[in-house]
Amino acid sequence: VTGASFVVFNGALKASSGFLAKSSIVEDGLMVQITPETMESLRQALRDKKDFQITCGEMDSGDVKEYVDICWVENEERTNKG
């Protein structure tokens, strides 16, 4: 679990890169590089206020993957006030 001050979603990752998605820590935030198709799915999930999971890592790798979970919560008191 990583806490971040901000999240940047970059929808310019090419399918030919060999990655499902990439995540990296940038300053005190998180940058997630995703394909244009995943970006459209993310946008729709945000419009619909639905949870969304992004799987990061190489397409052909059997290794443990990283996940970026976008979750809607009912109780805002338990979330970051900033």
Side-chain angles (χ1 to χ4, degrees):
V1 174
T2 301
S5 297
F6 64 91
V7 179
V8 174
F9 295 100
N10 178 343
L13 185 67
K14 296 190 182 336
S16 62
S17 71
F19 286 89
L20 297 166
K22 290 182 182 181
S23 64
S24 55
I25 295 173
V26 180
E27 296 181 14
D28 60 341
L30 179 69
M31 180 172 67
V32 185
Q33 297 176 36
I34 56 180
T35 62
E37 296 81 17
T38 303
M39 178 65 88
E40 186 53 41
S41 297
L42 172 59
R43 286 180 179 151
Q44 189 60 51
L46 293 173
R47 282 187 215 108
D48 296 341
K49 295 185 178 179
K50 302 279 186 192
D51 292 351
F52 192 78
Q53 184 178 72
I54 299 170
T55 304
C56 300
E58 294 182 39
M59 287 183 193
D60 298 334
S61 176
D63 296 341
V64 175
K65 305 281 189 224
E66 293 181 2
Y67 300 94
V68 176
D69 291 316
I70 296 99
C71 303
W72 292 88
V73 295
E74 294 292 325
N75 184 355
E76 292 185 20
E77 292 177 14
R78 300 178 75 196
T79 60
N80 184 353
K81 295 288 184 186

